[in-house]
Amino acid sequence: MTIFKKLLSIQSELKCRKSRYNPFGQYRHRNAEDILESLKPILAKVKAVVIISDEIVNIGQRFYVKATVKLIDAESGEHMETTAFAREEEEKKGRNRPSGHGHQSFR
């Protein structure tokens, strides 16, 4: 099975409920640990691993968290990766925006 077929299988099988509630913003959400807990059994089934790394980068006058996720086929060594950036809002208005931006890394 190619890494793309493994990714398709993972994306088709992965289900992760929004089991957490943020009373400040009044919304339901899931966190990285919830996603990884749901992901690990599927990774074992398709014989793949995920490596996640974060790095703080300065772009212009703002600091961002650069999150990189690498999917590796444990059988062939073939891999693919994606990167996303998150930053804090300049002003907080009602919802805590860092948590809103941070979820982008795990879509």
Side-chain angles (χ1 to χ4, degrees):
M1 183 183 310
T2 68
I3 194 161
F4 292 103
K5 287 184 180 176
K6 289 183 180 195
L7 178 60
L8 177 63
S9 180
I10 292 165
Q11 290 178 333
S12 297
E13 290 185 44
L14 183 61
K15 305 285 186 265
C16 185
R17 296 180 53 191
K18 293 181 179 180
S19 60
R20 300 178 186 273
Y21 182 74
N22 180 321
F24 178 71
Q26 300 180 355
Y27 62 93
R28 300 197 66 72
H29 66 99
R30 62 184 75 86
N31 65 16
E33 289 81 11
D34 298 333
I35 296 167
L36 290 171
E37 184 178 332
S38 298
L39 179 61
K40 286 178 182 181
I42 302 169
L43 289 171
K45 180 178 165 184
V46 299
K47 295 182 174 69
V49 296
V50 166
I51 298 174
I52 301 169
S53 62
D54 290 326
E55 173 187 359
I56 303 298
V57 296
N58 182 267
I59 301 173
Q61 296 182 2
R62 301 299 301 265
F63 287 95
Y64 294 77
V65 176
K66 177 183 174 184
T68 302
V69 178
K70 185 180 230 182
L71 175 66
I72 305 167
D73 184 329
E75 297 174 302
S76 71
E78 189 178 11
H79 67 274
M80 60 174 42
E81 70 178 50
T82 188
T83 301
F85 291 87
R87 70 168 174 85
E88 80 289 351
E89 283 293 310
E90 293 181 32
E91 297 179 32
K92 291 183 181 180
K93 294 182 181 175
R95 183 171 174 213
N96 186 348
R97 298 300 295 178
S99 63
H101 286 295
H103 83 282
Q104 299 299 325
S105 298
F106 296 99
R107 282 192 170 184

